[in-house]
Amino acid sequence: MSRHYLAILLALFGHFFVLHAQQKFTLSGTVSEATSNESLIGVTIAISELKTGTTTNEYGFYSITLPEGQYQVVVTYLGFQEVVRTINLNKNLKQDFNLTEKAEELQEVVVTEDVERLDIRKPQMSVTSLAAKTIKQIPVVLGEADVIKSLILLPGVTSAGEASSGFNVRGGAADQNLILLDEATVFNSSHLFGFFSVFNPDAIKDVKLFKGGIPARYGGRVSSVLEIFQKEGNSKELKVNGGIGAVASRLLVEGPIQKDRTAFLIGGRASYAHLFLALAGEDNKAYFYDLNTKINHKINENNSVFLSGYFGRDLFNVSDRFVNVYGNAVGNFRWNHLFSDKLFSNLSLIYSDYYYGLELDFVGFEWNSGIQNFNLKYDLKHYLNDKFQLNYGINSIYYVFNPGKIVPNSPDSGIVEEQLTKKYANENAAYVDVEHQISENLSIEYGLRVSQFNRFGQDELYIYENNNPVEFDPFTLVYREADPIDSISSSRSETLKSFVNLEPRISVSYNFKENNSIKASYTRLAQYLHLLSNTSSPTPLDVWTPSGPFVEPQLLDQFALGYFRNIKDGTYSLETEAFYKDIQNRIDYIDGANLIANNAIERVILNGQARAYGLEFLIRKNTGRFKGWLAYTLSRSEQRTPGRDLNIDTGRSDLETGINLGDWYSTPYDKTHDLSLYGSFDLNDKWNFNANFIYQTGQPTNYPIGQFEFEGVNVPYYGLRNKERLPDYHRLDISAILTPKRNRRKKIQSEWVFSIYNVYSRKNAASINFRENEDTGRNEAIRTSIFGIIPSVTYNFKF
C-alpha cells in the first residue's frame, strides 16, 4: 500500500515538475537613447538561446513571453552600442534599456536605426524605411534635405518630375498615398509647389513607407502609407541644432521641463529666397515657413501623454495682384497606457486641416477652399506570447469639404459672394491584425479591416434625368455635362449614400538557409476620398471630394511575391518583388472638363479602372566606409474608362466610346524604367562624400497630331490620351560633408555641406509646348526645363 502511495506522490511530483518547468513569464520594457530618453523604434531584442526575439513598437515598448530560465538578451540598433545582459526569468520582469551611440556624429537625428535592412524572417514586405541620417546625406536641390526626394531613390517610388508635388507609388496617383505625421493626415506634402516637402528633417525620428502588404490598422488610401513620427524631445538636457542654407534656415530646440519625465520640442524653418528677388528689383514673393512642436509627459510607469502639432504656410505673390496662400495645420493628443506587461494601448485625438487661399486683385475677388477632419482612434497591441501577437482597434473620422468660396475684395469689384456647396462625411473602421510565427521558418501576418463611409446631407444636390450626370452624344461622339432637372436640400443628419467594405490582408514569409526567405502578400483596400486634378502632378488648387451618390469608392486588390536575402552576415542585402494591382472605380475626366469652382463635379467625371504591374530590385551595402544601394523598377501603369453600357462578351460598349475607345492607356505617372544609384563614402573623420544618379522613362503626355484653320487661326487637335512621352529623365547629384576636427573639443559642433545638383546640367523637360513661329509661320516645339546645374552650401550646427 505504501508503495502505491509513493508511486502516486512521485507521479504528482513529476507532473508538478513538468508544469513548473513549462511555466512561462513575460519580459517587457522600453528602449530609449541614453543621453535624451528618446524612445527608439524597431530596436531588436534577441534571445540567443531560443533563437527568437522581438522589436520595439512606435513608442519604444517591447514584450516577449518565454519559458522560465536564464537567458542572454542582446539589444541591437544600428549606430548604437550593442547591449548584452543576462537575466534570470523566474517571474514577470520589466527591463528597460538605454542605448549609447557608438561615436559622436554631427547629424542631429542620431536615430540611425537598423530599419533600413528588412528582417527577412518577418512576413512584412513591400516596406521602405530610411534613417534620418541617410535622408540628410542624400544630395538634393538647393541643399535642403528632403524626405520625399529621398524616397524617390528607392524602388517603386517616382515623381512627376522636378518641382512636382507629391509622389507616385507602384503606378498609383499622388492622391492614393496616405501621409501621416504623428498619425495626423497631411493632405499636401509640398512647399513652394513641389520644390521642397513639408517635413523638417531635424524634427523627424522615423520614416516608413508601406507599398504593399499594408497592415490592417491602415486604410483610406489604395496605393501606399507614408508614416512619419516626430522626435519626442530630450528629457535630460537642453539641446539646440539648426542650419543655414542657400534658400532656407532652420532651428530646433528640445529639452526637459521636468527632468526624465516631461520634455518639449519646438522647431521652425523658413525660406528667404524672396529677399533676393527684392534686391533684384522684383516686386514678387515666394516663400514658406513651418513649425513643429511636441510635449511629452511620463505620468507613471504605465501612462504617458503626448501633444504634438505641425503648422506650415506657403505664400506666392506677384506684385500684390496675385496672392496665393496654402498650407497644413495638424494636431494630435495621444495617451499611451500599459494595461499589463502584455497589453499596450494608444488613444489618439487628431485634428487635420488643409487650407488654400487665392486673391486675384486684378479680377476683384478672393477664393478660399480646403478640407478638415477630426479623427478619434484607439489601438491596442496584445503580446500573447513570443509567437503570437494581436493588434486591434477602431477609428472614426469626420470630414468637412469646402470646395470653394468666392468673396469680393472691394465694394466695386462687381463680384457676387458665393459659397460652393460644402460636403460632409464620416469614415469609420474596425480592424484586427495577427502576427503569428507558426514555426521557426514560417511566419504569417493576417488581418481584416471593416470600413464604413457615410456621405451626409448638404445644402444642394442636383438631380439628373435617368440619374445620369454625364451625357454622351452619339453623333459627335462627345461626352458633355448633363443639365440638372431638379435639386434637393437635406440636413447633415441625413445620409445621402453609405458604403461598407471588407478589407482582408495576409502576408506570409518562409525562411530557408538562415539568410534567405520568400514572401507573398495580398492586400484589399478601399479609398473614399478623391482628389480632383487633371494634371500629372497635384497642385494646391486641386480639391478633395468624397464618395457619394455619383462617385463610387476606389477598391484595390494587390498581390506581391518576393525573394529576400542577407549576404555576408548582412553586409549586403537583396530584395526583389513582383506586384500586380487592380483598382476599381478610378475616376477620369471628360474632354474639356473644368474642375475649378465646379459645384457639380459629377458632371465631368467617369468611373473606370486602373492596373499596375512590375518588378522591383534593390541591392544594398549596409556596413563599412562605403554604403549605398542600387534600385531598379520595371513596371507599367494603365487606366481604362470604357463606355457605361459595357458589353461583357466583347469588353466594349455598344453605344459609347468611353475614353480612348475604351482601351487601356498609360496613366500620367507611368514610368517603364526607373533606375536609382546612391552611394555614401566616409573618407575619414572629417570628410563624407555622397552621390546619386537617377534615370527614368519620360512621363506620358499629349502632342498635337494635326491642325485645322478656323477663321484664319491654326487650331491644333490631339489624338488619343497619353500616346506620347516626354524625353527620358536623368541627372547626377553629388555632395561633400566637412566636419571640422575641432568639434571634438568644443561644445558647439558644426559641419559644412557642399552639394551640386544636376552636375552635367541636363535640361530635363518639365513639359513640351507647341506654338507657331511668328517669323516662319511654322509650328515649333518648345521645351520647358526647371533646373540646370545648381551648387549650394549649407552650414549645420548643434550644441
Side-chain angles (χ1 to χ4, degrees):
M1 195 71 175
S2 59
R3 291 182 179 179
H4 180 67
Y5 287 135
L6 180 62
I8 293 175
L9 288 174
L10 289 174
L12 290 174
F13 179 79
H15 182 63
F16 173 80
F17 179 81
V18 171
L19 287 176
H20 183 71
Q22 292 177 343
Q23 193 169 1
K24 293 187 176 183
F25 297 102
T26 299
L27 174 68
S28 64
T30 59
V31 182
S32 58
E33 200 270 326
T35 60
S36 67
N37 271 347
E38 184 83 34
S39 63
L40 301 178
I41 302 173
V43 178
T44 299
I45 296 92
I47 311 301
S48 306
E49 292 83 354
L50 301 180
K51 293 184 179 181
T52 187
T54 187
T55 57
T56 56
N57 69 3
E58 293 84 355
Y59 300 94
F61 177 79
Y62 76 93
S63 176
I64 186 169
T65 300
L66 306 167
E68 180 182 8
Q70 183 172 294
Y71 299 105
Q72 187 179 68
V73 181
V74 182
V75 184
T76 56
Y77 204 45
L78 187 66
F80 288 79
Q81 294 179 12
E82 180 180 272
V83 173
V84 180
R85 189 170 299 172
T86 300
I87 63 166
N88 186 20
L89 195 64
N90 55 14
K91 62 179 180 179
N92 292 336
L93 180 63
K94 181 175 173 56
Q95 182 69 65
D96 296 336
F97 294 96
N98 291 318
L99 303 188
T100 304
E101 289 182 82
K102 288 182 179 178
E104 287 294 326
E105 298 178 354
L106 169 73
Q107 287 78 9
E108 174 58 22
V109 183
V110 295
V111 188
T112 53
E113 61 271 22
D114 199 10
V115 295
E116 292 186 9
R117 283 186 284 175
L118 193 64
D119 187 344
I120 63 171
R121 290 181 178 271
K122 290 188 175 182
Q124 191 176 75
M125 63 183 301
S126 306
V127 177
T128 293
S129 297
L130 282 178
K133 177 184 175 182
T134 304
I135 293 171
K136 284 191 167 187
Q137 289 180 334
I138 293 175
V140 289
V141 64
L142 297 170
E144 287 297 308
D146 194 287
V147 172
I148 303 300
K149 299 296 189 294
S150 301
L151 290 172
I152 290 170
L153 295 176
L154 292 165
V157 188
T158 63
S159 73
E162 292 172 317
S164 62
S165 175
F167 58 99
N168 308 109
V169 177
R170 288 185 169 176
D175 69 306
Q176 295 173 335
N177 303 315
L178 176 63
I179 303 175
L180 301 174
L181 178 63
D182 276 350
E183 300 183 310
T185 303
V186 175
F187 287 97
N188 189 319
S189 62
S190 69
H191 277 313
L192 295 182
F193 304 99
F195 283 100
F196 311 105
S197 75
V198 300
F199 307 111
N200 183 345
D202 287 340
I204 290 173
K205 176 167 67 171
D206 185 71
V207 177
K208 187 175 292 183
L209 177 68
F210 296 86
K211 300 179 293 184
I214 298 174
R217 66 181 180 272
Y218 302 106
R221 302 293 188 276
V222 297
S223 192
S224 74
V225 177
L226 175 59
E227 186 178 49
I228 299 175
F229 283 97
Q230 296 186 116
K231 297 169 63 179
E232 295 168 4
N234 193 317
S235 66
K236 288 187 174 292
E237 58 181 338
L238 184 69
K239 290 289 185 179
V240 179
N241 71 282
I244 302 172
V247 296
S249 291
R250 63 193 191 278
L251 182 69
L252 184 136
V253 182
E254 56 182 323
I257 298 175
Q258 182 180 0
K259 191 172 182 179
D260 293 330
R261 291 195 66 184
T262 309
F264 76 93
L265 176 146
I266 181 167
R269 185 173 57 150
S271 68
Y272 36 74
H274 63 286
L275 299 179
F276 299 107
L277 295 175
L279 292 175
E282 297 288 340
D283 191 20
N284 302 330
K285 298 178 182 178
Y287 65 87
F288 71 85
Y289 61 91
D290 49 28
L291 178 70
N292 298 80
T293 61
K294 197 165 191 178
I295 294 177
N296 80 84
H297 175 63
K298 185 176 183 180
I299 301 173
N300 53 42
E301 291 297 319
N302 295 329
N303 295 277
S304 297
V305 292
F306 306 81
L307 180 62
S308 61
Y310 167 82
F311 180 84
R313 281 292 183 265
D314 280 73
L315 184 140
F316 182 66
N317 184 325
V318 179
S319 302
D320 292 327
R321 294 176 58 80
F322 175 92
V323 182
N324 182 202
V325 180
Y326 67 94
N328 299 277
V330 302
N332 185 6
F333 174 77
R334 285 174 290 167
W335 171 38
N336 287 173
H337 176 64
L338 194 61
F339 286 98
S340 70
D341 51 13
K342 292 185 177 183
L343 182 57
F344 179 91
S345 71
N346 178 68
L347 174 68
S348 297
L349 303 174
I350 306 167
Y351 170 77
S352 179
D353 173 81
Y354 174 69
Y355 167 80
Y356 179 84
L358 180 66
E359 181 178 355
L360 299 176
D361 186 63
F362 59 92
V363 179
F365 73 86
E366 297 177 4
W367 168 276
N368 300 288
S369 64
I371 177 175
Q372 294 176 306
N373 76 38
F374 305 86
N375 186 1
L376 171 64
K377 63 191 296 285
Y378 192 40
D379 302 292
L380 299 102
K381 190 175 183 96
H382 207 154
Y383 301 83
L384 296 176
N385 55 53
D386 62 321
K387 301 184 184 302
F388 197 91
Q389 296 179 13
L390 191 63
N391 304 281
Y392 47 94
I394 58 174
N395 80 287
S396 179
I397 308 174
Y398 179 74
Y399 295 99
V400 179
F401 301 85
N402 178 15
K405 182 178 182 179
I406 299 174
V407 180
N409 62 0
S410 64
D412 55 351
S413 68
I415 300 296
V416 178
E417 180 174 328
E418 180 183 3
Q419 169 68 63
L420 300 183
T421 303
K422 288 187 176 182
K423 301 177 178 68
Y424 307 90
N426 176 235
E427 182 176 352
N428 304 298
Y431 75 90
V432 60
D433 199 26
V434 177
E435 299 175 40
H436 189 184
Q437 184 178 340
I438 297 176
S439 67
E440 184 177 345
N441 295 327
L442 181 63
S443 298
I444 185 170
E445 182 174 345
Y446 49 93
L448 177 66
R449 182 182 183 89
V450 181
S451 60
Q452 191 260 351
F453 189 84
N454 297 313
R455 172 72 176 274
F456 294 135
Q458 59 192 53
D459 292 339
E460 186 178 41
L461 179 69
Y462 292 131
I463 305 298
Y464 304 93
E465 187 175 354
N466 298 323
N467 206 32
N468 193 351
V470 179
E471 295 179 344
F472 180 74
D473 189 333
F475 300 102
T476 61
L477 304 181
V478 171
Y479 287 95
R480 62 189 181 197
E481 302 178 30
D483 294 324
I485 59 175
D486 199 359
S487 66
I488 60 172
S489 178
S490 53
S491 67
R492 270 190 264 175
S493 61
E494 298 182 47
T495 300
L496 297 175
K497 191 70 178 288
S498 182
F499 305 93
V500 177
N501 282 288
L502 298 179
E503 305 174 36
R505 325 279 172 87
I506 184 169
S507 299
V508 181
S509 173
Y510 182 77
N511 181 61
F512 59 97
K513 295 183 180 179
E514 291 295 326
N515 290 316
N516 298 265
S517 67
I518 295 176
K519 301 185 182 185
S521 68
Y522 165 73
T523 305
R524 172 83 166 182
L525 285 160
Q527 177 171 336
Y528 300 99
L529 307 187
H530 311 264
L531 185 65
L532 302 176
S533 175
N534 54 6
T535 62
S536 59
S537 173
T539 69
L541 187 56
D542 297 334
V543 174
W544 291 84
T545 192
S547 297
F550 303 106
V551 183
E552 297 289 322
Q554 301 178 65
L555 300 174
L556 163 85
D557 292 288
Q558 179 175 188
F559 303 87
L561 177 67
Y563 169 72
F564 304 84
R565 182 178 182 183
N566 284 337
I567 305 169
K568 292 187 176 181
D569 296 325
T571 300
Y572 299 89
S573 59
L574 173 67
E575 303 171 21
T576 64
E577 288 192 43
F579 66 89
Y580 179 83
K581 298 168 60 174
D582 179 77
I583 300 175
Q584 302 298 319
N585 303 323
R586 179 61 184 168
I587 62 174
D588 207 344
Y589 309 95
I590 65 175
D591 291 333
N594 179 22
L595 303 181
I596 300 175
N598 191 330
N599 213 16
I601 201 66
E602 66 272 6
R603 299 166 65 190
V604 295
I605 62 176
L606 295 172
N607 281 327
Q609 65 182 118
R611 67 183 182 188
Y613 48 92
L615 296 170
E616 296 175 355
F617 301 90
L618 176 64
I619 183 167
R620 294 178 183 260
K621 186 175 186 298
N622 301 301
T623 61
R625 295 170 64 188
F626 175 79
K627 295 182 285 291
W629 64 76
L630 172 65
Y632 173 69
T633 305
L634 173 67
S635 64
R636 290 296 308 272
S637 175
E638 299 174 311
Q639 191 163 335
R640 183 175 69 162
T641 310
R644 289 167 295 184
D645 57 330
L646 186 67
N647 187 314
I648 298 177
D649 296 328
T650 63
R652 291 180 176 273
S653 169
D654 297 327
L655 299 176
E656 296 186 6
T657 59
I659 296 176
N660 277 25
L661 304 177
D663 293 329
W664 291 99
Y665 55 96
S666 297
T667 64
Y669 24 87
D670 174 52
K671 304 287 181 69
T672 307
H673 302 283
D674 178 20
L675 173 71
S676 301
L677 179 63
Y678 168 72
S680 177
F681 178 68
D682 295 317
L683 178 64
N684 50 42
D685 292 340
K686 290 180 60 177
W687 288 99
N688 168 262
F689 297 94
N690 300 271
N692 56 258
F693 174 77
I694 297 176
Y695 171 86
Q696 294 179 350
T697 301
Q699 68 186 62
T701 188
N702 297 312
Y703 295 150
I705 60 173
Q707 65 180 23
F708 60 90
E709 186 174 318
F710 179 74
E711 296 183 353
V713 178
N714 289 329
V715 179
Y717 63 89
Y718 297 80
L720 300 178
R721 292 190 189 182
N722 297 341
K723 296 294 286 186
E724 308 295 336
R725 288 186 180 270
L726 294 176
D728 291 349
Y729 179 100
H730 55 86
R731 73 167 200 272
L732 172 68
D733 312 323
I734 60 174
S735 71
I737 301 175
L738 170 63
T739 305
K741 284 186 176 180
R742 64 177 181 272
N743 276 355
R744 299 176 182 177
R745 300 185 300 271
K746 288 191 174 184
K747 185 176 181 180
I748 299 178
Q749 299 183 359
S750 63
E751 72 174 6
W752 292 89
V753 181
F754 308 93
S755 65
I756 302 177
Y757 179 88
N758 197 1
V759 171
Y760 51 86
S761 196
R762 163 75 175 178
K763 302 298 182 182
N764 288 299
S767 64
I768 292 181
N769 300 308
F770 294 83
R771 70 182 185 188
E772 183 178 308
N773 189 294
E774 295 181 356
D775 298 326
T776 65
R778 302 183 62 181
N779 290 333
E780 59 183 4
I782 304 297
R783 174 187 296 203
T784 301
S785 299
I786 304 296
F787 295 122
I789 183 172
I790 300 181
S792 63
V793 179
T794 302
Y795 173 74
N796 296 323
F797 60 88
K798 74 172 184 176
F799 56 88

